[in-house]
Amino acid sequence: MANLSIVIVPTKKLSNGKHRIRIAVAHRSQTRYISTQFILDSASQMKNGKVVRHENAANINTCLRKIIYEYVDVFKTFSDW
């Protein structure tokens, strides 16, 4: 099964200097990224897969966890085939 994690990709910095939060999907030595709607002001606002030092950190972390759970459910559905 694929490993899912919440990350920012420093090389994919937006033109205004901010970072988009992405979900990394790692499977068989390959990693792909799913972009989310959440944007952080700096890379230091992400620590160990969680948003910190942001005014909406708790809400963002809750939404990201829900997204991860949805993807896990989809993966489990397809792995049962």
Side-chain angles (χ1 to χ4, degrees):
M1 188 167 137
N3 292 325
L4 301 172
S5 57
I6 300 167
V7 297
I8 58 167
V9 182
T11 57
K12 299 240 181 205
K13 187 186 291 189
L14 300 175
S15 61
N16 59 4
K18 296 183 179 188
H19 296 274
R20 184 172 298 278
I21 298 175
R22 300 171 193 275
I23 297 174
V25 181
H27 182 63
R28 293 187 182 176
S29 302
Q30 292 185 348
T31 303
R32 301 287 188 243
Y33 299 97
I34 302 170
S35 184
T36 66
Q37 72 226 25
F38 302 107
I39 297 177
L40 298 178
D41 296 327
S42 69
S44 65
Q45 290 181 324
M46 176 70 72
K47 185 174 181 180
N48 296 330
K50 295 191 185 235
V51 178
V52 294
R53 289 179 284 188
H54 190 275
E55 61 269 5
N56 291 328
N59 292 335
I60 292 173
N61 287 326
T62 302
C63 289
L64 290 171
R65 275 292 129 204
K66 287 180 183 177
I67 292 170
I68 291 284
Y69 292 148
E70 289 175 12
Y71 286 138
V72 168
D73 287 340
V74 170
F75 287 146
K76 284 182 180 178
T77 302
F78 283 111
S79 68
D80 290 341
W81 284 9

